[in-house]
């Protein structure tokens, strides 16, 4: 086991899939049950002792400024000036130096229960959920040990699919950043979600399936 060093929350996107709710506010600042999704995650992280939290902003970035004041010394915002021209791979590239034993999160995830822990194993993992029906989401195929060995463009009924938190262990971070920097030199990659990098290099990057309760798919 090792202590989780920090968390990075990707919050730069324009939230096009949540229009019209995102015309005037970023998707992470939409309230669910009386609190914003991004702030719920921050509170859950702080509750388990993770007090180094980076929020990568872009669209309507100034609306996130209150987080730095409210959680002074615990939350910092880093602005991605390329949020309109590039996909979220640019946000991760911007803060890659902070990846260690790190939770990587999306601002628009909502957890009914606190899934975070102060310590994690040496395994890097990607959270997943299942659906009784087929889903237009990336379906995960794992071997007997739980290691992800393939990713399908669509999840079959009952197949786990990518959703929610990711944990990077320091053992995987160095190799991941090397691949990220190498791929980012090609402008074609700038249109990718960061997960597409993981998918393209899934045989090199050792990530495990992590099914967790307490996740609400919004």
């Amino acid at each position: 086991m090792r202590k989780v060093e920090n968390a990075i929350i990707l919050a730069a996107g324009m939230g096009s899939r949540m229009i019209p709710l995102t015309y005037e506010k970023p998707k992470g600042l939409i309230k669910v049950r009386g609190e914003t999704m991004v702030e719920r995650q921050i509170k859950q992280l702080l509750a388990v002792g993770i007090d180094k939290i980076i929020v990568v902003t872009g669209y309507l970035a100034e609306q996130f400024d209150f987080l730095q004041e409210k959680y002074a010394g615990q939350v910092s915002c880093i602005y991605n000036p390329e949020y309109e021209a590039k996909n979220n791979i640019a946000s991760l590239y911007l803060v890659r130096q902070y990846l260690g034993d790190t939770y990587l999160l999306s601002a628009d995830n909502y957890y009914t229960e606190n899934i975070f822990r102060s310590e994690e194993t040496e395994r890097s993992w990607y959270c997943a959920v299942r659906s009784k029906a087929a889903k237009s989401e990336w379906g995960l195929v794992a071997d007997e040990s739980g290691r992800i060995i393939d990713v399908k463009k669509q999840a079959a009924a009952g197949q786990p699919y990518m959703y929610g938190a990711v944990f990077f262990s320091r053992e995987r971070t160095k190799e991941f950043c090397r691949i990220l920097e190498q791929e980012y030199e090609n402008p074609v990659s700038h249109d990718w979600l960061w997960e597409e990098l993981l998918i393209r290099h899934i045989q090199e990057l050792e990530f495990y399936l992590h099914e967790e309760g307490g996740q609400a798919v919004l």
Side-chain angles (χ1 to χ4, degrees), residues 4-40:
V4 179
E5 298 174 36
N6 59 4
I8 295 171
I9 303 177
L10 302 181
M14 299 176 71
S16 57
R17 292 193 297 178
M18 299 181 74
I19 288 173
L21 294 175
T22 52
Y23 278 143
E24 296 182 352
K25 65 176 60 179
K27 58 185 179 180
L29 294 180
I30 293 172
K31 288 187 176 182
V32 177
R33 299 176 181 174
E35 63 183 337
T36 65
M37 290 186 282
V38 69
E39 196 165 3
R40 181 175 181 82

Side-chain angles (χ1 to χ4, degrees), residues 176-188:
F176 179 85
C177 287
R178 182 192 67 77
I179 292 172
L180 173 61
E181 291 169 357
Q182 178 179 308
E183 291 280 22
Y184 204 74
E185 291 178 3
N186 183 353
V188 171

Side-chain angles (χ1 to χ4, degrees), residues 8 20 66 68 92 100 117 135 143 148 191 200:
I8 295 171
F66 79 96
Q68 298 184 110
L92 188 54
R117 303 175 180 86
K135 296 283 289 186
D143 64 16
I148 301 169
D191 291 330
R200 289 167 183 263

Side-chain angles (χ1 to χ4, degrees), residues 10 17-18 27-28 37-38 41 106-110 163 218:
L10 302 181
R17 292 193 297 178
M18 299 181 74
K27 58 185 179 180
M37 290 186 282
V38 69
Q41 290 184 81
S106 296
D108 60 338
N109 288 148
Y110 183 91
Y163 180 83
L218 304 176

